[in-house]
Amino acid sequence: GDFNVILVTRMKSAADMQPDKAKYDAFMKKWGEENQKKSDKLVMTYPDIREITGEYLMREITFK
């Protein structure tokens, strides 16, 4: 179907999309438990805010 919003995240390689426990743990240490609690509470309201209809992996090709 049609969509009207795209969230773009640029990465150097597809390998950066793979899970990495060490990076996750380092992020969570900086993020903090209090921020995580706030985030968990906010996520519960997502269905009231928007409907996520799909997830797509796109590649950009630049011609010279």
Side-chain angles (χ1 to χ4, degrees):
D2 295 337
F3 52 87
N4 60 6
V5 176
I6 298 174
L7 172 64
V8 176
T9 304
R10 296 177 187 259
M11 299 178 188
K12 291 183 180 182
S13 75
D16 292 339
M17 294 175 58
Q18 301 305 312
D20 185 316
K21 180 143 175 54
K23 286 182 182 179
Y24 174 79
D25 289 343
F27 170 79
M28 290 308 294
K29 184 176 180 181
K30 289 182 181 179
W31 179 252
E33 188 175 318
E34 189 61 33
N35 283 328
Q36 182 60 44
K37 287 179 184 176
K38 288 178 187 177
S39 180
D40 289 344
K41 185 177 179 182
L42 179 64
V43 167
M44 299 301 288
T45 66
Y46 276 10
D48 299 333
I49 299 170
R50 68 181 133 229
E51 179 182 352
I52 298 174
T53 60
E55 184 175 317
Y56 307 91
L57 176 61
M58 299 179 183
R59 298 197 181 262
E60 178 180 45
I61 299 173
T62 305
F63 295 100
K64 293 184 179 184

